[in-house]
Amino acid sequence: MERNTLNNILYTKSHRLAVYIKLIAICGLLLVFSCKSRKQVLVKRVAVDSAVVAKPVNTKGATLAIIKTKQTNFNTFSGKAKTKLDISGSSNDVTLNIRIQRDHKIWVSVTAIAGIEVARALITPDSILLVNRLQSLYVRKPFSYINKFAGKQVNYKTLESLLIGNAIPELLTENSNLVSAAGSTTLTGNLNDVVYKLILGPDMKATQTNLGNPAAAQTLLVTNSAFIQATNRIMPSQIDMASVVKDKKIQLNLHYTKADYDQPLEYPFSIPSRYQQAE
């Protein structure tokens, strides 16, 4: 396949880099080349025993403790997702391969037609590195650069949590308003000017996360569905994200086709000497 054919898949030269950076910012990215993955099996979400939650002292604290124990604990994650990315009406279909070393790094490979890699990224709590294979360009930015596209409510732990379907840790606080009814639990509140609403299913897994900063005209809505079992963990196989930052609208739909936890992983990343740094 000729290079010009691949170029037609994406936007202009300047827009291509923006697409990949926004893709990373909203959360997007997944999987592994070397590890054998388990077959996906849809699971029935079992409700947490209400007698366990309803402690006579500090019911809210007891419920929050249960929620925290029901979030996925892991050291490494690898996954592969068929992904649709829509930026202000312009849509692209790609495959995202993600590897995560918890609290340290998120490695991402973006492939297009015929499995050809078009971009690779390495995200840490402090920085973002991105190489664009099509244009022989690279980007090196502090993590805070993501906030231009996803709002200040998104940090490194937010990305990790959203990619595997966990509740964002900062929202699990006793300052939240907590209501349990009809098999779901809802937490609402305000955290550093960010208004949030977290909806958990009967198994205390996150079903929907809604973050908003009205003053900055920023919103992020994440919906998790079709829960599966992956290496003895329960996680969503479908994660849909919608972000609005002023006049920028981004829709990201991830469908995991492979997922594994706590397998040995490598995170290869290098910038070829011929690549030029993009602004």
Side-chain angles (χ1 to χ4, degrees):
M1 183 175 294
E2 295 182 356
R3 189 184 187 88
N4 289 338
T5 301
L6 289 174
N7 288 344
N8 289 333
I9 299 172
L10 304 173
Y11 306 120
T12 63
K13 177 178 177 180
S14 60
H15 285 166
R16 289 190 186 97
L17 285 174
V19 167
Y20 297 132
I21 294 172
K22 292 171 184 176
L23 180 62
I24 293 167
I26 303 308
C27 153
L29 312 154
L30 303 136
L31 178 309
V32 66
F33 293 135
S34 58
C35 296
K36 182 179 180 181
S37 299
R38 280 73 168 169
K39 182 179 180 181
Q40 287 190 2
V41 178
L42 289 173
V43 296
K44 182 178 180 180
R45 301 173 67 187
V46 179
V48 172
D49 187 349
S50 59
V52 175
V53 177
K55 300 283 182 73
V57 179
N58 193 3
T59 301
K60 181 188 289 186
T63 301
L64 289 171
I66 293 294
I67 293 172
K68 291 175 183 178
T69 64
K70 294 301 179 180
Q71 304 312 300
T72 300
N73 188 29
F74 70 102
N75 293 313
T76 66
F77 168 78
S78 62
K80 182 175 184 178
K82 293 182 179 179
T83 305
K84 172 168 283 191
L85 172 67
D86 188 301
I87 299 178
S88 299
S90 296
S91 181
N92 288 280
D93 293 316
V94 295
T95 296
L96 299 180
N97 299 281
I98 294 180
R99 304 174 187 182
I100 300 176
Q101 182 183 8
R102 187 173 186 176
D103 297 333
H104 288 87
K105 67 186 77 171
I106 301 171
W107 177 97
V108 182
S109 173
V110 183
T111 59
I113 291 177
I116 297 175
E117 185 180 62
V118 296
R120 184 174 293 189
L122 185 66
I123 307 168
T124 71
D126 300 319
S127 65
I128 301 168
L129 286 172
L130 172 71
V131 293
N132 181 338
R133 304 292 191 200
L134 296 180
Q135 298 298 316
S136 298
L137 297 172
Y138 73 93
V139 172
R140 188 191 304 270
K141 296 287 185 181
F143 186 91
S144 59
Y145 186 71
I146 280 180
N147 300 134
K148 293 183 178 181
F149 306 102
K152 71 176 185 179
Q153 64 263 36
V154 175
N155 58 35
Y156 178 83
K157 286 298 295 181
T158 302
L159 282 182
E160 273 197 357
S161 299
L162 295 181
L163 284 173
I164 63 169
N166 269 352
I168 298 172
E170 292 91 338
L171 307 186
L172 303 181
T173 168
E174 292 209 29
N175 292 326
S176 297
N177 299 311
L178 189 153
V179 176
S180 296
S184 68
T185 300
T186 302
L187 280 74
T188 58
N190 190 305
L191 181 67
N192 299 326
D193 298 325
V194 174
V195 178
Y196 62 86
K197 181 178 182 179
L198 171 64
I199 301 176
L200 303 140
D203 56 356
M204 297 299 184
K205 292 288 188 180
T207 299
Q208 186 179 101
T209 303
N210 195 333
L211 306 176
N213 185 336
Q218 299 171 343
T219 63
L220 176 62
L221 175 64
V222 182
T223 303
N224 300 326
S225 58
F227 283 73
I228 59 170
Q229 183 169 311
T231 323
N232 299 320
R233 276 86 159 179
I234 305 300
M235 66 172 290
S237 65
Q238 184 70 35
I239 301 178
D240 300 307
M241 307 182 187
S243 172
V244 177
V245 180
K246 295 183 179 178
D247 60 343
K248 300 182 181 70
K249 296 182 179 181
I250 303 174
Q251 179 77 36
L252 184 67
N253 305 108
L254 303 175
H255 177 66
Y256 283 95
T257 59
K258 295 179 182 178
D260 266 313
Y261 288 94
D262 291 350
Q263 302 296 315
L265 298 175
E266 295 183 354
Y267 308 85
F269 192 93
S270 62
I271 301 174
S273 58
R274 70 180 185 282
Y275 279 29
Q276 295 183 347
Q277 185 169 6
E279 295 297 329

